Amino acid sequence: EPEVTQTPSHQVTQMGQEVILRCVPISNHLYFYWYRQILGQKVEFLVSFYNNEISEKSEIFDDQFSVERPDGSNFTLKIRSTKLEDSAMYFCASSDGEKIAKNIQYFGAGTRLSVL
Amino acid sequence: KQEVTQIPAALSVPEGENLVLNCSFTDSAIYNLQWFRQDPGKGLTSLLLIQSSQREQTSGRLNASLDKSSGRSTLYIAASQPGDSATYLCAVTQAGTALIFGKGTTLSVSS
């Protein structure tokens, strides 16, 4: 069964460093998403991406964050200068672009980011 | 601003029991509501999606209902099994495709 894959599973970085989290969405999907979950808190939407541009973003997704689809298979989230509060589980998701009412998003297993 | 709340936060039941998980949302203008399952250290698995025009959806031992006007949904699990132990998340979609999640109910089914 097709699945969303994320690498690495755990990333440790020093405060102020840049990190890139990588995702391979399901191959025929058209919409891509990033969410994060701080330990003990809700899963929060960061950004959605369609047709090579951002379609929606939340207040969390500020200038420190960027997304890119560098080739036909990968989807990346970059955090330019990490802060302690960026420590969280980051989930990538994709969907096939079915109309919104039927839009099922498929999630990867997540990357745990630890900022020291 | 849409808020999604789930109660209870945690639930422990013996194997075989039927149970109900609750989800409420503050703004009834939704496109759909989804129930997800989250296992420790793993991603989210979509269980059921109810479109705003629907009242319920069923998959195996799971039945989800939606009362949009009152801002409520329930997930009914029949004949619970230890393998059902997980965190169950409720999420709604509004203006776009972004999912707005509740905090979840952590279910423990003992054998």
Side-chain angles (χ1 to χ4, degrees), chain A residues 31 33 35 37 40-45 48 55-56 59 89 91 95 99-110, chain B residues 3-5 31-32 34 36 38 41-44 46 49-52 89 93-103:
Chain A
Y31 285 83
Y33 311 84
Y35 293 82
Q37 186 177 31
Q41 298 189 23
K42 295 181 179 184
V43 176
E44 302 172 290
F45 168 76
S48 62
S55 51
E56 287 178 83
E59 295 171 350
M89 180 74 89
F91 293 107
S95 65
K99 66 178 186 178
I100 290 176
K102 298 183 183 179
N103 187 48
I104 295 177
Q105 295 179 29
Y106 296 85
F107 282 74
Chain B
E3 292 287 341
V4 179
T5 303
Y31 285 123
N32 61 46
Q34 297 181 58
F36 290 86
Q38 184 176 26
K42 296 190 178 179
L44 285 64
S46 181
L49 180 148
I50 312 176
Q51 299 177 51
S52 61
L89 303 177
T93 302
Q94 282 199 287
T97 56
L99 289 165
I100 303 167
F101 284 87
K103 205 170 179 182

Side-chain angles (χ1 to χ4, degrees), chain B residues 2 8 13 20 22-23 27 31 47 50-51 53 62 79 81 86 91 97-98 100 107-109 111:
Chain B
Q2 178 76 269
V13 300
V20 174
N22 296 291
C23 171
D27 186 346
Y31 285 123
L47 298 173
I50 312 176
Q51 299 177 51
S53 58
L62 305 180
Q81 302 171 357
T97 56
I100 303 167
L107 173 66
S108 176
V109 182
S111 56

Side-chain angles (χ1 to χ4, degrees), chain A residues 2-4 24-33 49-51 69 72-73 93-98 103-107:
Chain A
E3 60 180 19
V4 176
V24 179
I26 294 173
S27 62
N28 62 339
H29 283 186
L30 301 176
Y31 285 83
F32 315 113
Y33 311 84
F49 192 85
Y50 170 73
N51 200 25
R69 187 153 165 82
S73 59
S94 68
S95 65
D96 64 6
E98 178 70 85
N103 187 48
I104 295 177
Q105 295 179 29
Y106 296 85
F107 282 74

